[in-house]
Amino acid sequence: MKRRKLHRGVALIEVRDAMVLTEIESDSALLPFLGERVSNTCIAVQPQALPDVLRRLQSLGHLPMLVES
Amino acid sequence: MNQPYTIRECLHGYTDDALSEMCERWQVAASSKANRIRALEKVLGDPLHVESTMRGLSLEAVRLLHLVADNGTMSIRDVLHVPGLYAKRNAIDALHQVAFLGLVLVCPEERTGAFSFNQIHPHRDSRESSPLLFASALVKHYLPAAEPMGLAMTPTTEPPSNPSAPSADRATAFFLETLRIVELLNPRVTAADSLHKADLTRAQEQAREAQMPVEAFSLSLMIALELGCVEVKRGRLVTTPQAAEWSSRPYAERMKDLMHAYVNGQSLPDIKLFFPQLYEAFDEYLPRGSVRRTYHRLLVAHILREQPEEVWFSLGTLARALYDLDHNVLCLDEQWRAIASNTRDITPVWKDRQWEMREQRLFSWMIQSFLFDLGIVELGGEGKYFRVTPAGRYALGVGPLPDRGEATQQDALVVQPDFEVIVYVDRCSPNLRRTLDTFCERVQGGMVSTYRLTEQSVYRGSRTGTSIKDFRTLLTANSKVAIPSNVNEQFSSWERKLESVQVHAGCEVIECLNAKEAQALVAEHPHCRLIGERFVIAREPIPEVDTIIDYGKPRRAAIEQEDGLVVRAPWEKIDLFLRRQLDDLGDSSTTENGDIILRLVKKKVEKGGDWSLQLAQLEALAARPLAGRYRVALRAWSGELDQAASRTATLVRFDDAETAQAILEFPDLAEHIEGSLGLFSLVIRQGELGSFKKKLKVRGILVKPGDDIHDPEPPESWATQWVLDHQLADDHANGANGANGTATVQAEDKHKVRKRRVHPAKEEPEVEEAHLPSYSTRIVREILEDAISRRRPVLVEYKNTWGTRPSIRRVDPVSLETAGSAPALSGYCHQRQGARTFKLSQVAGIRVLEDENF
């Protein structure tokens, strides 16, 4: 039997390099906002915390590009 | 402009003769001045009269009326000195005509009661103040359109072969550069409205650095003042918001503004350039605000306005046309100019020479320099020929709005290798300026602004929806110079960096139970993208989903409590954040159907820190109120150790009631517990305190040893002795019946005997211990009700909660509580010397002391 679960309105961080995701996960300021690893280059992030996450990613030297789905 | 005076007010300023002449003209018979004024007022205020009069006017008169109407008010001398604008000749006749008819009226304050038509001619050469003329509103209303003066010039027979394209942007560039210089220097202005010498020198240096001719700077400054883009503020020149407003207007409109400001500008930089020795005389004799001061420019515009498109003329033709129209355009006939030129006599030869030396050169320069730079004309034959461009005709007010290609906007900016962008604001489209404002940091404002490209500014810009690629394209399209390679490389680097981390907001992610199903889903729906082994991003809604977790709504309770310290999260309730949260609390595992089983683990809880936060998280996730065991476990593991102490061999008292109750929920601990005593204490089975303490310790609860703590042996080992002791005690009690003193109660363990003093009542009756008659609860209740009503004390054989040692109590019964599930007796206990409550269910025997009262 097929079982599918729709996660509606979730936010994701998608990176090109898996190492970047590991680096993001190791940041204690970001950790509370992070969820399950969807893949080794993609991780769920709390939608309500997106502004904070974007700010923190910038302070870590990244230029996170926000893509509205 | 509103009419400054009424007709009556004006006519009061006329002489009787003048009024008579006008009455004669209008065939009005009136004997007195007042009657004449009244009659003329009637005639001049009659629209039918005015309209019919207009029809009979000469072309010169109509053009003169237009000139006066356009300027609001004009002095008679001013009107007479600009005949080229309305009549090639016979200016005085034209003025006489309209004045006689009352179509132009003389403002009364100038010559009250003294104006006569005979004075018109002398005013031409008089240096005294000249009466002001104006056209009434009625005249303006019925004024017919002015027809061209027929100023067509003779076109050249041989058109130039390689004309130079009109330099449409030079004049605007000079203008902008002038504004920039003003912004930079804020030059001081002297009392004579000229620039301070030192500041003028610095401004000219700046102009030279910008490869702008000095005369272009002066001319641009005049235009800026005329347009209101620059103003004098506290003795200094400053730019105004009008400058930005002007720069945001379309190209053709800006061109028209510049042309209009040039033609009507009150400063005389061109005169200063070509008549350096006569400049002061011109400045004196050409009054500010008068048409005479701008006549030479108006005349050129006037002639150009009447020339057809695409027809080439020589500069000489233009000079000739000007000469024919009015050779006195720059006061060549006037005495003051001859005097200023040190000429004794004004001869035709001198005039011709002056014309060739001054006027002709001035008008040639006007065509070749400013009008060409502005794009009004294009030049050919090395500047000897010119023709009016379509844009020029629009700027002159005779042609339609030209369609200007985008290519003319190409040099709006220059990107420099140091990441600075020099921007000519007037050439920027609103979109380009907006994009620059978002993608760059503005270093310096003004008409020639400087922006700087930084990583953060570009990042900020890219977040507005425009990609870096689009921004680069925009820069390239608006710059004639290619973007430097290092800037291009940096753009590429920023692009790569931007693409390396993407944050998707508001995604619809479908989680499948396994990878195979996820792949099948992607194959089935082309708008889905596989982003993980089991996860798929859907760009369109997918109907076939079993459950939906909406992250925009409050989080649902997801965990169910299992036995012990285990919780379960069903698959359909697991969101993308639950597993990580649960992982912080213990060891999780996933069942075949996707459920998460979590066993709380001490190590992880200890690592987690704040137990209350962890507990709150767990409680928020739980579908039902969390059992106390989880709370106790989390508290204990996180370092907040519960304290417990035993006061007797089997009693353990906890610091808080919750812990005491929670202990009962642990099956492995509950097996050691006999029961609870109150809210804080638990009674431990005999001989099992050690095991109980060990298990508590595993859960982080330490039992403090007290000085009276001991753990007696199991009952089998001491029960026999206990019975013997009690018998002895009974015997002793019986023997000592009625005796005073302390009664000692021996503890269970004979090795660790503890004597407890029992304070008897002052008049303690004889207590018959053991073997009181036993009844059912209902009977006990009836006995007690009877005793209460008769105030008889009772002896009660009462088993404690833990039921280990029944004791005989003498109780004065006060009331029976029968409302609850456990009926109880309240009364005064003589043994405990205080009010106590006894559960009837725990009363093993009872006897009423019939002989006593209380």
Side-chain angles (χ1 to χ4, degrees), chain B residues 442-619:
Chain B
R442 188 184 288 193
V443 180
Q444 190 180 341
M447 302 313 295
V448 183
S449 301
T450 308
Y451 290 83
R452 181 170 290 130
L453 289 162
T454 64
E455 185 181 87
Q456 285 305 313
S457 68
V458 170
Y459 173 58
R460 186 184 61 226
S462 68
R463 288 174 68 181
T464 60
T466 308
S467 67
I468 294 180
K469 189 180 174 185
D470 291 345
F471 178 59
R472 280 167 75 176
T473 310
L474 197 65
L475 288 182
T476 310
N478 285 280
S479 175
K480 277 184 179 171
V481 185
I483 297 175
S485 59
N486 65 323
V487 178
N488 259 330
E489 281 175 22
Q490 189 59 56
F491 271 133
S492 304
S493 165
W494 286 332
E495 267 180 317
R496 283 195 298 275
K497 205 170 176 181
L498 258 177
E499 287 165 4
S500 70
V501 179
Q502 290 190 341
V503 178
H504 301 271
C507 299
E508 300 234 327
V509 176
I510 296 168
E511 181 183 356
C512 301
L513 202 56
N514 52 49
K516 196 176 171 185
E517 282 186 16
Q519 286 166 359
L521 179 65
V522 172
E524 192 179 342
H525 297 279
H527 57 268
C528 291
R529 178 168 70 95
L530 201 65
I531 53 167
E533 195 180 341
R534 294 185 297 115
F535 293 92
V536 170
I537 277 191
R539 290 192 196 90
E540 289 175 18
I542 293 209
E544 316 93 53
V545 288
D546 298 316
T547 181
I548 298 173
I549 294 176
D550 196 337
Y551 291 82
K553 292 181 180 173
R555 204 172 185 188
R556 287 191 303 178
I559 61 171
E560 295 163 2
Q561 299 165 51
E562 301 275 304
D563 291 338
L565 294 177
V566 176
V567 292
R568 169 189 290 269
W571 180 82
E572 61 273 10
K573 293 182 180 175
I574 300 170
D575 63 25
L576 290 172
F577 303 93
L578 185 66
R579 188 182 296 275
R580 190 179 281 271
Q581 279 180 292
L582 294 181
D583 281 348
D584 292 341
L585 296 170
D587 294 334
S588 64
S589 57
T590 308
T591 61
E592 281 183 6
N593 57 2
D595 295 356
I596 296 176
I597 304 291
L598 175 81
R599 184 178 298 278
L600 296 184
V601 174
K602 184 183 175 185
K603 272 186 184 175
K604 292 198 173 180
V605 172
E606 280 174 343
K607 196 178 169 185
D610 188 356
W611 73 274
S612 56
L613 187 63
Q614 290 173 324
L615 188 65
Q617 288 175 347
L618 204 58
E619 280 187 330

Side-chain angles (χ1 to χ4, degrees), chain A residues 20-61:
Chain A
V20 176
L21 196 57
T22 309
E23 180 199 334
I24 289 170
E25 273 191 301
S26 64
D27 183 68
S28 59
L30 279 175
L31 198 59
F33 306 130
L34 300 181
E36 200 168 329
R37 259 200 186 217
V38 174
S39 70
N40 60 352
T41 57
C42 192
I43 194 166
V45 61
Q46 285 179 2
Q48 297 86 354
L50 264 190
D52 293 329
V53 170
L54 289 170
R55 261 197 300 276
R56 182 62 188 167
L57 286 171
Q58 279 182 68
S59 66
L60 290 174

Side-chain angles (χ1 to χ4, degrees), chain B residues 763-791:
Chain B
E763 293 177 3
E764 186 159 349
E766 178 186 344
V767 177
E768 292 181 28
E769 293 190 15
H771 311 304
L772 291 177
S774 175
Y775 304 101
S776 68
T777 306
R778 189 176 62 80
I779 301 297
V780 169
R781 194 168 73 184
E782 286 177 3
I783 290 170
L784 284 169
E785 282 173 351
D786 180 57
I788 290 166
S789 64
R790 294 190 292 119
R791 297 178 66 84

Side-chain angles (χ1 to χ4, degrees), chain B residues 265-318:
Chain B
Q266 290 296 306
S267 297
L268 302 170
D270 41 5
I271 299 287
K272 196 174 186 178
L273 187 66
F274 288 91
F275 301 85
Q277 294 168 345
L278 301 177
Y279 172 69
E280 287 182 6
F282 271 108
D283 200 31
E284 184 186 350
Y285 284 96
L286 301 180
R288 280 186 176 269
S290 72
V291 181
R292 289 185 71 194
R293 199 171 173 91
T294 56
Y295 185 37
H296 60 292
R297 298 181 206 134
L298 281 168
L299 214 53
V300 173
H302 201 56
I303 292 174
L304 292 181
R305 203 174 285 134
E306 296 201 4
Q307 305 314 313
E309 269 183 72
E310 306 293 328
V311 179
W312 287 93
F313 304 99
S314 68
L315 291 174
T317 315
L318 175 72

